[in-house]
Amino acid sequence: MLYFITRRLLFAIPLLFIISVMIFTFLNLSTDIAQSLRNPRMTAEQFAKVKEAYGLDKTGPARYFSWLGNFVRGDWGTSFIYQAPVAPLIKERLKNTLMLMALPLVLSVLLAIGIGVFSAVRPYSKLDYTFTGFSFLGISVPIFWFGLLLQLFLGFYLKEWLRLSEPVFFTSGMHSPGRPEFELMDFLRHAALPSMALMVQLVAGWGRFERSSMLEVVNADYVRTARAKGLKERKVVFKHSLRNALIPLVTVVAIDIGLLFGGLIVTEQVFAWPGMGTLILSALVAGDYPLVLSAGMVIAFAVAFFNLTADVMYGILDPRIRYD
Amino acid sequence: MRGRKMFGLVALLLVLALVGSACQREPSPRQPEVEGKPGGTLVFAAEQFPKCLNPITSCTNASWLHWTALLTTLPQLVALDADNNYIPSPLIEEIPTLDNGGLTESPFTVTYQLNPDAVWSDGSPITFEDVKYTWQAIMGTPDAADTTGYDKIKDITGSDGELVIEFTEPYAPWRDLFGGGIDYVFKKDSDLAGDTNLSGKMQEDLAGMCGAAFCLESFTADQEMVLVRNENYWEDKAFLERIVYRSISDSTAEINAFRTDEIQAFYPQESVELAQQVRAIDTAFFLAKGGTQYQGLWFNLDQPPTNDKAVREAMIFALDREAALNQILVPIQEDAVVNHCLMSVPGLAGGKYCPELFETEQDVAKAQQILEAGGWAKGTDGIYAKGGQRLVIPFQTTAGNKGREDLQTIFQAQAKEVGIELRIDNSDSTTLFQTRMPARDFNMALFAFVASPDPSLTVNWHQDQIPTAASPGGQNYYGWRNARASELMVESDQELNDEARTEAIVEIQELAREDAVGVPLWAKPAILVVNESRLATTEGEFDFNPGQGGFSHQLKFWFFK
């Protein structure tokens, strides 16, 4: 197992290198960071001076290798647009994204499994059709639109109906204005709507996935054998079927979690949640390569890490899997 | 079963706790007040929240930095009022002129009398040393975004409340230095200890430089900024105790936050849908004013077919700008008017820089006559052609900007009536402004310029500013070559006599009209939305500067009812 994990981690190094080269190349081709530093009143000489101050007068490869050398040594550079060190910026935003993701992820996994199992065990029942209908709705509804509806109904109308002085669920930000210190209730009231918006899509997708995976398993020979042995239905479903049906879901969830580290751009935008998504979007638009590259490395690492976690989980869920 | 009960109980408690938490604060009393009342925290949504605070570097390219953090916290010498007129700020006694002896021509000097009561928030006086330090910092910061004008200062001296700025040569827009729209005075004796290279600094240090109605308390990029009332302000103090700027980039989310009273004011981008939604809210005060950004159609004078003056002239008569205005802008700003000058707006400086040169109406026959006189003949498909080339003008603007895209469609139909085909050729704003315009890869572009209350036209219009491969930095993307106009631009930049300067700027625009370098459209409106059931202003009605000043200078008059 240790050998397997070490080998996978070592494989991640060239992968991260290739990803960083690709990000830098695409960014260099599609944007010009120097232009975002330019003031309309600046003369050509002043502009040349500014470019020199930021090292933008060097060639693309020289800039890339300068960034890479510093990154490996732990210096992630300075963001051009935020004019602040990149590492604390990413740390802060990653924390915000994790705070937004954590609870909806756990709840989504549990709900998706519950819906998937129920739908597969009682396929084509009324409740299965209901879940299926809601799942398709959840998958098809654009998240920004759903988010705005949540703001309107659970933010504004609920406040009006209950005649409150302030909304039960806040529609923007991650804390009340001017109160940055963490207060659980304040945080929950701010996180509720974006969490719901996030969960609708996750539960809908994962629920469908778990249903089809479970449907395959409940009709397998070994499950029929378990029933023939006279085992209770609950034991057949939860011990023999679910455990195997979880393997494909683990893969999907692992990949999704890794990607969510890149931020939930739309959710963050609609609910003014200062996470990784808005950070990366601003940096991408401006061509702020020290920030985009470092954030890209964090996301790539997260994807690789969660994929590895999924591989390790397979062995736990199915002891027949060996890491040779 | 027991577990389910327990879960239900926990869920019920959580819901009750959330509702209870929402009920904790009592609604504010809503009795109308005549006099201002101190106290309260205003939450103001910022659509394009500033990412950094440095008042010298490229951070300053973001208008929201000035509106939120700088204009309300840093002192200026000359200021702009809501109508974009230069007025003396509380820091100076009066604006220097040749008549009051504040200006001398040879050598060119500007002398200010500083208000003896003017102090920083720590009580130390604001002196000429601070102004001198500001100049040294702007010139000493290698990545300064704009040193225009400051590079013409020879020295700054002063004593006993007097400040003398000596220039190496006459510089007409001197009022924009250390003040005007978006320039300031920094505190020399701050945490920066007189450091004159402010590259990468100021993020925290700005909090220690407070010389206006509010002081910066905290800033978190993309999240929020907190300002507190400056208790040591020498002028009338602000009523609001705190202002919290909250980053909300989506305008519909802003409206939702406004409805729930999470924010009490916002300053959104113009949009017909937004205007309709906000006007439907009972508590919303909605004010749209023509700003200093003005839209126009700008021709490339070197690319066919707009290199043909007949084509450009015909386009001027082909368009019914009034009809387009009524469709696009009047639903937002009822008093919006068509602009008749190319390089300013009528609502700026009393309209003196905006001569009425384009009082044209759509005249299809005249447009066709101009084209035919220029050798164009109408083809069987109804489109003019010359030398086998159909009259097709590629038409560029920023992709995704709905207002501009709608306008393109309207103009397409109007031009077709004449026999001109407009072919949409849009790019995203980064590509259009950072790649295509500098490469002069456009034919007829629709975008906005920013007019200054004291304009300098050289950078955008001088014939030496046409970008070339050898000198890519110029911004005369249009390729306008007019020796007389270029000469006037240089003259006007050095002309201290207001009347002579105005005449030069008007003449430049007359020459631009003769050469048909563009078609002016209208000033882009700026919008302010305030919850008037909660807030009022001692000025009677909420107002703002629709240009560089934004809403900032008026905030000190706002109070909670």
Side-chain angles (χ1 to χ4, degrees), chain B residues 272 320-334 336-338 410 522:
Chain B
V272 175
D320 187 348
R321 293 176 296 152
E322 197 71 49
L325 177 94
N326 288 335
Q327 208 170 327
I328 297 279
L329 207 61
V330 171
I332 301 170
Q333 186 197 345
E334 283 164 12
V337 289
V338 169
I410 295 169
W522 41 72

Side-chain angles (χ1 to χ4, degrees), chain A residues 30-44 46-47 49-50 53-54 78 80-84 89 92-93 96 144 147-152 155-160 162-180 185-186 188-190 192 268-275 278-279 282-283 285-286, chain B residues 14-15 17-19 21-27 30 41 43 50-54 57-61 139 141-149 151 171 176-177 183 199-201 203 220-224 226 242 244 246-250 252-254 256-263 430-431 433-435 438 459-460 471-475 477 548:
Chain A
S30 60
T31 58
D32 182 1
I33 178 66
Q35 292 297 338
S36 68
L37 302 172
R38 183 172 195 164
N39 183 295
R41 285 167 65 184
M42 213 178 244
T43 61
Q46 286 169 338
F47 187 44
K49 212 169 132 190
V50 168
Y54 285 98
T78 301
F80 292 116
I81 55 169
Y82 289 90
Q83 302 200 350
L89 262 177
E92 169 74 19
R93 297 307 186 86
N96 295 345
F144 73 90
L148 292 171
L149 281 187
L150 285 175
Q151 289 181 341
L152 201 59
F156 174 60
Y157 288 133
L158 187 63
K159 171 184 176 255
E160 294 294 298
L162 298 175
R163 295 175 182 277
L164 300 172
S165 59
E166 58 179 40
V168 178
F169 302 113
F170 290 112
T171 63
S172 64
M174 54 184 291
H175 57 74
S176 289
R179 287 158 58 191
M185 199 50 76
D186 187 55
L188 288 176
R189 288 172 64 190
H190 281 85
E268 288 176 10
Q269 198 88 358
V270 171
F271 294 99
W273 193 276
T278 43
L279 181 80
S282 316
V285 170
Chain B
L14 189 65
V15 170
L18 288 170
V19 174
S21 175
C23 294
Q24 276 172 10
R25 284 178 228 165
E26 285 298 308
R30 297 188 177 184
T41 298
V43 186
K51 302 206 177 299
C52 47
L53 291 178
N54 196 311
T57 63
S58 59
C59 300
T60 56
N61 295 346
M139 296 309 295
T141 301
D143 54 336
D146 186 14
T147 55
T148 313
D151 52 6
Y171 181 68
D176 283 331
L177 303 178
D183 283 19
S199 185
K201 301 191 178 92
Q203 205 80 332
T220 314
D222 291 343
Q223 288 188 52
E224 73 172 27
V226 182
R242 296 173 105 202
V244 179
R246 163 151 282 192
S247 169
I248 304 181
S249 55
D250 184 274
T252 315
E254 272 182 322
N256 286 340
F258 184 82
R259 286 175 191 273
T260 58
D261 200 29
E262 285 169 69
I263 60 168
T430 311
T431 310
F433 295 118
Q434 297 183 10
T435 310
V459 174
N460 291 116
S471 172
Q475 290 181 48
Y477 304 133
Q548 290 176 319

Side-chain angles (χ1 to χ4, degrees), chain A residues 3 5 64 129 141 152 164 209 238 256 262 285 293 297 310 316:
Chain A
Y3 171 73
I5 293 173
Y64 171 75
Y129 280 123
V141 167
L152 201 59
L164 300 172
F209 205 83
F238 289 103
D256 284 354
V285 170
L293 281 173
M297 291 300 93
I316 296 167

